[in-house]
Amino acid sequence: MKSKSGAAVSVDRPAKRIVARQPQRKPGQVRFRKLLEALDQLLANNNVQDIGLYQIAAHAKVPNASIYHFFPSTEAALLALAAVHHNALLDLSKGHLPSPPKRWQDVFRLKLSEAAHYYNHHPAALRLFLGANISMEVKSADISQTYRLVDERAKLLDHYFHMPEIPGWRRRLATYFSVVDGVFGLSYTENGTITDEYIAEAHQAGIAYLRCYLPELLIPREPSI
């Protein structure tokens, strides 16, 4: 654009996110998954910044041209893998409990334990989401994931309990997830895993925060027939 004097003025535009090219045909889908599995395996034992596209291709035993066909950059590959783990964690969050909970605190305790179990059985997810060298793109994707988790947790609570009207409830739940992630991240930094002690700490910290907004007891809904 130009200023009033006619001189050119530069305008900073947000950088366009470079994402993976999603395959449409079955052979491409198989190779795409193979490359993501290779990246997942590499991340189990290597830092994010130490992995490049050539390494992923070599580990997957596919030509370099194949990986460039799907991933224009390592960042795009990391984002694609992050999406896989994000979707798996979201599916866990959506699932109903084995039996109706008597207290809202139990919903958070059980779902937190499920998430910790998933992390501990997927080292790449631990490194991607809780490691010290998380990329800005993955961090941005994490923020979007948090609000997907928020919406599912709000639905789950409303399924089991008569929920009161809480101003800013969505933001409160987002803060809860951030608190839990912070404790999980500390455990990963210290132990390379999420220990039982830190699972308990994360639950206590999260519930203590939510008690600022939720009453100690909520009225359960009648089970649907």
Side-chain angles (χ1 to χ4, degrees):
M1 63 181 291
K2 293 184 178 181
S3 65
K4 291 182 180 180
S5 64
V9 177
S10 63
V11 177
D12 292 331
R13 300 181 184 276
K16 185 177 180 180
R17 177 179 290 181
I18 301 175
V19 297
R21 179 182 179 184
Q22 296 293 330
Q24 301 300 317
R25 297 181 179 179
K26 190 168 184 178
Q29 293 170 357
V30 170
R31 186 160 289 188
F32 187 84
R33 287 195 297 269
K34 190 174 182 181
L35 288 164
L36 287 184
E37 287 168 4
L39 174 57
D40 195 77
Q41 292 165 9
L42 286 168
L43 274 175
N45 299 300
N46 298 275
N47 291 322
V48 171
Q49 71 272 18
D50 295 330
I51 299 174
L53 292 179
Y54 288 157
Q55 289 169 282
I56 301 170
H59 197 77
K61 297 181 180 179
V62 303
N64 290 336
S66 290
I67 196 165
Y68 279 110
H69 176 76
F70 297 118
F71 306 116
S73 67
T74 306
E75 191 73 22
L78 290 170
L79 279 172
L81 182 61
V84 171
H85 289 297
H86 277 155
N87 289 334
L89 287 164
L90 187 66
D91 287 341
L92 278 178
S93 186
K94 287 179 180 179
H96 287 176
L97 304 181
S99 59
K102 295 181 179 180
R103 303 167 70 245
W104 61 265
Q105 295 89 337
D106 294 334
V107 176
F108 287 93
R109 177 177 55 81
L110 292 169
K111 287 300 177 182
L112 183 144
S113 294
E114 287 179 353
H117 182 269
Y118 181 89
Y119 274 125
N120 284 336
H121 285 78
H122 295 85
L126 279 169
R127 198 177 297 275
L128 262 179
F129 304 141
L130 303 177
N133 297 297
I134 308 172
S135 72
M136 290 304 298
E137 289 287 357
V138 171
K139 282 183 180 179
S140 178
D142 271 355
I143 293 172
S144 297
Q145 168 73 353
T146 294
Y147 279 98
R148 294 166 72 198
L149 292 171
V150 161
D151 291 339
E152 293 304 326
R153 187 57 47 85
K155 290 178 187 176
L156 193 63
L157 288 167
D158 193 57
H159 175 78
Y160 287 117
F161 299 99
H162 292 279
M163 293 296 295
E165 190 70 29
I166 302 172
W169 179 226
R170 198 164 180 261
R171 181 165 60 84
R172 311 300 181 198
L173 280 175
T175 302
Y176 162 82
F177 282 110
S178 296
V179 168
V180 168
D181 280 352
V183 179
F184 279 4
L186 181 59
S187 181
Y188 176 65
T189 299
E190 291 183 355
N191 307 287
T193 188
I194 303 173
T195 65
D196 289 343
E197 180 183 3
Y198 273 105
I199 291 173
E201 287 287 315
H203 178 64
Q204 288 180 352
I207 294 303
Y209 169 75
L210 289 174
R211 280 183 171 133
C212 297
Y213 305 99
L214 279 175
E216 191 64 21
L217 296 174
L218 292 174
I219 300 174
R221 292 187 185 277
E222 291 295 325
S224 57
I225 300 175

